[in-house]
Amino acid sequence: FDYVDMAVVDTSGNGKYILNGEAAQLSDSNYVKEALKGKKSVSEILINKSGIPTIMYAAPIKDKGSVVGALIARRDGTAFNEITDQLGIGESGYAFIFGEDGTIYAHPNREHVRSRANVFKHIEEDGVFKNVGLELQKLGIGNTGIIRYEFDGTRRITAVTPIPNTSWNVGIGAVEKDILKDMVNLRIICMVMGGIALVLGIIAGGFLGRYIASPITKLLATVKKMSEYDFTQSDSKEEKHMRKRADEIGKIADAIYIMRDNIASLVRLV
């Protein structure tokens, strides 16, 4: 799972890491508090003593229905880039993840992650993310929508949506001229980008649950085809099987395929 270290934490917040043997008092950590309440949790990007970005995962340990502790795992903070590097629309596509306070957690330029760049602070500082911050303020953190702004001298269109079960948001987009040259109808642009952002937000949230990685990978292939404007409908046994699943994977698969079919129908009408 690419974890750097793991630890078991008792109900008082005392833990000891398995690999380095380091003891830690974590009762004030929000991700531990959530786990001890019985909820799975993921921290914001933390910068350790060596200046390296780190993410902490936490899950409750239960005995006969009662929480008796928490299992925590430390992971390289650049792991979110494994998600965003695969996302984007077209050749100029890109993606980034940011927290509710505007801090950048994943970005094609890793330096923005290491420096904990904040889109809202850049408004006051006239930084590179000033225009992004202004547009996100208009949209509102936690809302789904389309923002347009100038970044690095180019006009961009980005679909923004919250990541389920976290306080983070994901932005997925491309250079405006590259999108407009391929799709003339602006209504289709908004629907496609909004739909893809929603699905990828669900996938990004699902990524946090590694035990569902295999079916998510299959669904990602469908979403990737959609990002390339391929809405070809399928009637395969594998698709039917996933849509019939009674768990969360089945619900996600059904939503993706319904959205694909609806967009395909819309395109035919246009």
Side-chain angles (χ1 to χ4, degrees):
F1 296 111
D2 298 324
Y3 292 123
V4 177
D5 209 340
M6 302 180 76
V8 174
V9 180
D10 63 25
T11 53
S12 297
N14 299 305
K16 188 172 184 179
Y17 287 95
I18 297 172
L19 297 182
N20 65 16
E22 176 185 345
Q25 219 304 317
L26 302 167
S27 59
D28 291 334
S29 301
N30 288 331
Y31 59 91
V32 172
K33 289 179 180 179
E34 290 299 305
L36 293 178
K37 291 177 183 177
K39 303 175 183 178
K40 295 178 182 178
S41 179
V42 184
S43 74
E44 62 179 13
I45 295 290
L46 307 174
I47 304 298
N48 65 19
K49 297 177 182 178
S50 302
I52 300 173
T54 300
I55 310 169
M56 298 300 298
Y57 295 78
I61 299 173
K62 295 184 178 181
D63 181 30
K64 298 179 181 179
S66 299
V67 176
V68 296
L71 176 67
I72 64 173
R74 179 188 296 154
R75 194 175 184 194
D76 185 342
T78 59
F80 285 156
N81 287 304
E82 296 175 10
I83 304 174
T84 56
D85 286 350
Q86 300 178 51
L87 307 181
I89 302 173
E91 294 181 2
S92 63
Y94 61 90
F96 59 96
I97 294 175
F98 58 97
E100 60 184 353
D101 66 345
T103 301
I104 298 292
Y105 292 160
H107 193 276
N109 185 338
R110 305 296 195 262
E111 183 55 36
H112 294 318
V113 179
R114 286 190 288 268
S115 66
R116 295 178 65 82
N118 186 294
V119 299
F120 298 134
K121 289 182 179 179
H122 276 214
I123 296 175
E124 302 172 2
E125 301 168 358
D126 197 26
V128 295
F129 287 104
K130 176 180 179 179
N131 293 332
V132 181
L134 289 171
E135 291 303 311
L136 287 175
Q137 279 187 339
K138 294 177 184 177
L139 176 64
I141 290 295
N143 293 327
T144 296
I146 306 294
I147 60 174
R148 294 176 175 82
Y149 55 91
E150 186 171 311
F151 185 82
D152 278 347
T154 57
R155 292 289 303 171
R156 312 213 176 192
I157 299 179
T158 299
V160 178
T161 191
I163 299 175
N165 303 316
T166 74
S167 60
W168 310 322
N169 301 266
V170 59
I172 305 150
V175 173
E176 187 176 272
K177 65 179 182 180
D178 290 345
I179 296 180
L180 296 180
K181 73 179 181 182
D182 292 325
M183 300 183 71
V184 178
N185 193 311
L186 189 57
R187 289 179 302 166
I188 297 178
I189 293 174
C190 293
M191 292 190 67
V192 171
M193 292 185 66
I196 291 174
L198 178 60
V199 174
L200 291 177
I202 294 172
I203 291 176
F207 180 82
L208 301 177
R210 301 287 293 188
Y211 63 92
I212 59 172
S214 179
I216 286 296
T217 299
K218 295 174 183 177
L219 293 176
L220 182 59
T222 299
V223 175
K224 186 175 185 299
K225 290 173 64 179
M226 293 168 60
S227 72
E228 297 169 350
Y229 318 122
D230 181 357
F231 304 109
T232 304
Q233 294 168 292
S234 171
D235 194 33
S236 66
K237 291 182 178 179
E238 184 178 49
E239 177 177 320
K240 289 180 178 179
H241 175 71
M242 284 214 292
R243 296 182 76 165
K244 289 181 179 179
R245 288 178 58 150
D247 59 11
E248 296 303 318
I249 294 296
K251 295 178 182 178
I252 294 172
D254 198 44
I256 290 175
Y257 295 130
I258 288 175
M259 186 189 71
R260 179 203 62 194
D261 296 344
N262 288 344
I263 293 178
S265 299
L266 177 64
V267 171
R268 284 196 294 269
L269 288 174
V270 173

